[in-house]
Amino acid sequence: DQQVKQNSPSLSVQEGRISILNCDYTNSMFDYFLWYKKYPAEGPTFLISISSIKDKNEDGRFTVFLNKSAKHLSLHIVPSQPGDSAVYFCAAGGSDYKLSFGAGTTVTVRA
Amino acid sequence: EPEVTQTPSHQVTQMGQEVILRCVPISNHLYFYWYRQILGQKVEFLVSFYNNEISEKSEIFDDQFSVERPDGSNFTLKIRSTKLEDSAMYFCASSEQGGLGQPQHFGDGTRLSIL
């Protein structure tokens, strides 16, 4: 399933700076998008979502941007904290209720 | 905060044996899902379940797989005759409603190892 792609397998960022994670998709039928965070030995934890009718959604330090024409979304984390070090998955869903996941980006926040 | 719980955390089974993975979804949720993640690969959708029946399944979910909600709280995934390639992390998820941006909440997974 190549419908959702996260092309950066890893990201290293200084504590306090902005983390920007990117995600591309190919299926124009997706109508909502989600970001999940995953620590080792735990399941994915829901972070934030965005509907296809919006271009931005903000929740505290997390903001998701959606560019439908480019089939691209991004997650901004600002300021980055050491506890943000984890694997971040982009996921997309449509009317069939199943989620398609990207391969994940491992974020490391340096002190 | 309510959470999805899965048991066991690790299951080791001989090839050809049946295995049942168990999940307790969040209590007021109505939609239930199973996903799996083979080591080094993406999280893949297996099946969704609503109102006591399968609503969607992937090509992975063949006749060897089945799901059941045997009572008001448990949701199980059965693999009838396990194969080596069934070795993976299996995640259960639930959501209050289906689709339309309703987030699916995941358990911590069961690591299934087929010998």
Side-chain angles (χ1 to χ4, degrees):
Chain A
D1 181 355
Q2 296 297 313
Q3 297 186 90
V4 179
K5 291 184 181 179
Q6 292 176 257
N7 291 319
S8 297
S10 63
L11 172 69
S12 179
V13 64
Q14 191 80 33
E15 182 180 0
R17 306 296 285 268
I18 186 171
S19 294
I20 299 176
L21 292 88
N22 294 302
C23 177
D24 298 294
Y25 63 95
T26 57
N27 188 344
S28 57
M29 300 303 290
F30 287 142
D31 57 21
Y32 64 100
F33 305 87
L34 311 91
W35 285 93
Y36 285 85
K37 172 181 177 179
K38 185 180 181 304
Y39 293 118
E42 294 185 11
T45 300
F46 170 71
L47 273 179
I48 191 168
S49 64
I50 187 166
S51 163
S52 61
I53 62 172
K54 295 188 172 184
D55 55 19
K56 178 182 175 181
N57 188 26
E58 192 172 353
D59 183 0
R61 296 186 298 115
F62 303 93
T63 303
V64 56
F65 296 91
L66 175 63
N67 182 333
K68 277 191 70 176
S69 60
K71 293 192 176 68
H72 177 84
L73 64 154
S74 62
L75 174 68
H76 292 205
I77 307 172
V78 55
S80 300
Q81 300 173 352
D84 296 332
S85 295
V87 180
Y88 289 78
F89 292 100
C90 170
S95 59
D96 55 8
Y97 304 162
K98 67 181 182 184
L99 294 180
S100 295
F101 281 82
T105 297
T106 299
V107 172
T108 302
V109 180
R110 307 186 309 274
Chain B
E1 185 172 325
E3 56 183 31
V4 176
T5 57
Q6 291 185 244
T7 55
S9 56
H10 191 188
Q11 174 81 44
V12 181
T13 301
Q14 290 288 329
M15 185 173 60
Q17 295 296 304
E18 174 183 286
V19 66
I20 297 176
L21 309 183
R22 303 180 189 280
C23 170
V24 179
I26 295 172
S27 62
N28 65 330
H29 286 186
L30 301 177
Y31 291 77
F32 314 114
Y33 314 84
W34 284 100
Y35 291 80
R36 78 173 186 189
Q37 185 177 27
I38 294 171
L39 187 64
Q41 298 186 21
K42 291 184 177 184
V43 175
E44 303 173 286
F45 169 80
L46 292 177
V47 65
S48 60
F49 191 86
Y50 169 71
N51 200 25
N52 282 319
E53 59 182 33
I54 290 173
S55 48
E56 183 83 23
K57 61 182 181 179
S58 72
E59 60 277 6
I60 302 168
F61 195 88
D62 61 22
D63 291 345
Q64 293 300 310
F65 291 85
S66 62
V67 289
E68 191 179 29
R69 189 152 163 82
D71 54 43
S73 59
N74 289 285
F75 179 52
T76 62
L77 173 70
K78 182 193 291 187
I79 308 175
R80 235 177 301 280
S81 178
T82 50
K83 304 186 283 286
L84 293 176
E85 54 263 38
D86 294 327
S87 295
M89 279 293 289
Y90 287 80
F91 293 107
C92 173
S94 68
S95 61
E96 198 170 341
Q97 299 175 34
L100 300 178
Q102 289 293 319
Q104 296 178 20
H105 296 270
F106 286 75
D108 286 342
T110 293
R111 179 171 300 283
L112 178 62
S113 300
I114 308 300
L115 304 179

